[in-house]
Amino acid sequence: MVLPLSACGTGSAVTDPPESELITVVWDEPDGAVTEWRGGADHFEDHPYRPKGLEIDVAYPLFEGAEAFAEELAARVDQEVRDFRGASRDPVSLDIDWEVTAAGNGVLGVRLTRTEEDYHGLRQGYETYWYDTATGHTAYATELLADDAALEELNGLVREAFAGEENVDMEGLHPVLRTYDSMGFNTDGDLVVEFDDGHLSPSVEGHVPSTEPGRMVAVIPSEEALPLLSDLGERAREASLAEEPVPAVDEPAARPQSPPPVPGVITTGDEGVDCAKAKCIALTFDDGPAETTPHLLDLLAEKEVTVSFFLNGDPALSRPSVLRRAYAEGHEIASHNDLHEHMPEYFSEEELVGQVAAVSAMVRRQTGHTVQLFRPPFGDSSPAVLKEIGRQDMAEILWSQDSEDWTGLSRDEIVDSVVEGAEPGAVVLLHDTLAPTLAATPEIIERLREEGYEFVTVSRIYDDLEPGKSYPPEGLGEPAQA
C-alpha cells in the first residue's frame, strides 16, 4: 500500500491517510511521565556556521530513567540544526517537534518532525529513534531490521509499492541510512516507512527536487515485515501495539562496548586491498553530480571499481538521487566546496565557514555519511582555507596526477595521459562532467588492470588522514583546473 499525502506548493501535508495506517503515536506533548527539552538558536552557538536571522525552535522528549536516550536525542537534534544551517539556501526557520511512538517491552520510540523553510520553500522531514532500555543503546530506524540484507529486501518491497508512481524517482531509492530514517508500526502491526517531502521526487535540471506531493508513505504488511525485523524491531512492534504504555524505565546496568553495525551505513572502497603491498591507484572525479554521472556509475558498476567523488553545492542540491546512488554503490563522497571558485581570492575568512560547511551538510542529510575529505576548487588553497577545513574535521585532498581532461583533450589523449603517468599510490584528477572523460574511463580501467593496478578510494591511499592536513604532503606540481 502506498499513501502519498497530497500537498500544496509549500510541500506541507494537507490531507492525512487513515490513522490506522500511520505510525502509532502514544504521546505528542508533555504528560506527567514524559517531559521535554526545548531550545532555540542560542542553544547551538558552537556550530561553525551560524547564518544570521535563522529562527530555531526545537524540542525532544525526556523519560525518567533514560538519561542515555536524552543524550543521544540531544546529539541528533544538534546535528539536524547544524546540517540545516549548512545545507540550506537562505534559511528562514527550523522547527523540530516530537511524538512518542512506543513505550514498553524494553523499548522507547520517538518520532521527530522537522519543519523547514528556506529559499526553496517549506518542507517537512521525519526521523524515528528507538531506545533499548536494557542496554542504553539508541538505535536508528534501520536498526529495526536484522541487517543490510533485510534493508535491501525492504528496499525492494518499497520499490514494488511505489511502482508506477510518477512522483517517485526510482533511481534515487536506495537502501541507505538517511532514506530509511523514519520507520515504525501502525495499530495493525504493519511496518510503516515514511519519506521526507521531496526526498523521492524526480530531479529537474537546475532545480532542487519538488516537495510535491509531500510526505510519501509505504505500508509493508506485517507478514512481509516480520521476517526482516531484528530483536529490537520485534520488541518495538510489540511495544507499539501495547495497550498500556510504560514511559519510565530503569537505568541500564551496563552499555555494550561495541554496538552492532547499523544497516544502511555503507563501507566505501575495497577493504580487502592492502595498499602497502598492492599497486593501488585512486580515480577521483570533480564537479558533479552531473547529468553524465549516472552513466559513469553504470560503467564503474560494470567494471566493479570504486572511486572518490568531490561534489559542489548546487549539483549536490539538484541531483540528490545521484549522490545517494553513488554512496549506496560504495563510492567515496567528498566535498569540492559549495561554489566552484578560487577560495583564497573569492571569499573572506568569514565566508569560508559557510562554503566549507555546505556540501558536508548536504551529503549527511541525503545519506547519513559524514564527509572527511575536502578538495578546494582548482587546488587553490591557503593557510586560512586549510585552517577552516580542519576546524570542520576534514582533511584537504589535492592530487598527484592531473589527467588534464579539463584542457579539451580527446578520449584517447585522456587515456594515454592517465595510463602513461600512473604510479602506485597515485591520486588521479578527472571530471565526470566531461563526455570524453566518461568515454575514456573503461579503457583507463582495463589498461591499468593489465598493469596490475588495484582501484581504491582516496582514503585507502592515505592511511590515518588528519583533519587540517593536506595530501599529498608534497603538494601539487603545476597549477591545474579542478
Side-chain angles (χ1 to χ4, degrees), residues 125-185:
Y126 320 93
E127 304 158 68
T128 59
Y129 296 104
W130 303 83
Y131 180 69
D132 187 333
T133 65
T135 64
H137 173 61
T138 297
Y140 291 96
T142 58
E143 292 179 81
L144 296 176
L145 305 174
D147 48 29
D148 279 304
L151 179 57
E152 183 81 39
E153 188 170 344
L154 175 63
N155 190 66
L157 293 173
V158 172
R159 280 177 171 268
E160 291 176 11
F162 283 127
E165 266 293 330
E166 64 179 15
N167 294 309
V168 174
D169 177 11
M170 301 300 269
E171 293 301 313
L173 189 56
H174 297 280
V176 300
L177 180 66
R178 203 55 200 254
T179 293
Y180 287 91
D181 59 358
S182 189
M183 294 192 283
F185 302 92

Side-chain angles (χ1 to χ4, degrees), residues 321-342:
S321 63
V322 181
L323 188 169
R324 293 196 296 272
R325 178 187 170 188
Y327 173 70
E329 294 181 356
H331 301 289
E332 186 165 50
I333 309 300
S335 175
H336 195 36
N337 199 48
D338 187 1
L339 301 181
H340 198 286
E341 302 287 352
H342 291 272

Side-chain angles (χ1 to χ4, degrees), residues 39 54 85 114 123 129 163 183 189 226 232 243 259 269 291 294 301 318 361 368 371 375 378 382 409 436 442 458 467:
L54 171 58
R85 282 172 160 175
R114 305 184 318 275
R123 60 190 170 275
Y129 296 104
M183 294 192 283
L226 275 169
L232 176 66
E243 293 184 4
E291 185 178 4
S318 59
V371 169
R375 173 175 286 167
F378 311 98
S382 70
L409 297 183
V458 169

Side-chain angles (χ1 to χ4, degrees), residues 116-307:
E116 309 172 351
E117 185 177 6
D118 64 8
Y119 172 82
H120 296 294
L122 189 71
R123 60 190 170 275
Q124 285 192 323
Y126 320 93
E127 304 158 68
T128 59
Y129 296 104
W130 303 83
Y131 180 69
D132 187 333
T133 65
T135 64
H137 173 61
T138 297
Y140 291 96
T142 58
E143 292 179 81
L144 296 176
L145 305 174
D147 48 29
D148 279 304
L151 179 57
E152 183 81 39
E153 188 170 344
L154 175 63
N155 190 66
L157 293 173
V158 172
R159 280 177 171 268
E160 291 176 11
F162 283 127
E165 266 293 330
E166 64 179 15
N167 294 309
V168 174
D169 177 11
M170 301 300 269
E171 293 301 313
L173 189 56
H174 297 280
V176 300
L177 180 66
R178 203 55 200 254
T179 293
Y180 287 91
D181 59 358
S182 189
M183 294 192 283
F185 302 92
N186 63 21
T187 54
D188 292 328
D190 303 321
L191 180 65
V192 179
V193 187
E194 60 182 354
F195 302 93
D196 297 354
D197 293 359
H199 188 84
L200 300 181
S201 297
S203 298
V204 179
E205 185 66 28
H207 298 275
V208 298
S210 171
T211 56
E212 296 185 5
R215 178 175 52 168
M216 302 292 290
V217 178
V219 178
I220 308 301
S222 58
E223 61 269 21
E224 293 185 82
L226 275 169
L228 306 179
L229 300 181
S230 62
D231 171 71
L232 176 66
E234 292 177 3
R235 289 189 287 121
R237 179 177 178 274
E238 293 175 12
S240 300
L241 298 173
E243 293 184 4
E244 296 293 334
V246 182
V249 300
D250 294 328
E251 281 288 336
R255 298 193 195 184
Q257 292 186 346
S258 55
V262 178
V265 174
I266 309 300
T267 300
T268 60
D270 188 346
E271 289 191 314
V273 178
D274 182 356
C275 290
K277 300 176 181 177
K279 288 176 64 176
C280 291
I281 193 166
L283 303 183
T284 70
F285 292 86
D286 286 9
D287 300 354
E291 185 178 4
T292 48
T293 306
H295 178 54
L296 174 60
L297 291 171
D298 291 341
L299 294 173
L300 296 172
E302 180 183 344
K303 299 293 184 181
E304 297 183 329
V305 167
T306 50
V307 303

Side-chain angles (χ1 to χ4, degrees), residues 21 38 49 54 71 74 89 119 130-131 213 225 232 247 256 260 292 301 316 323 354 374 393 402 441 468 477:
E21 293 165 348
R38 184 170 292 275
Y49 180 54
L54 171 58
E71 292 173 8
R89 300 298 194 212
Y119 172 82
W130 303 83
Y131 180 69
L232 176 66
T292 48
L323 188 169
F374 187 100
D393 296 321
D402 182 2
T441 298

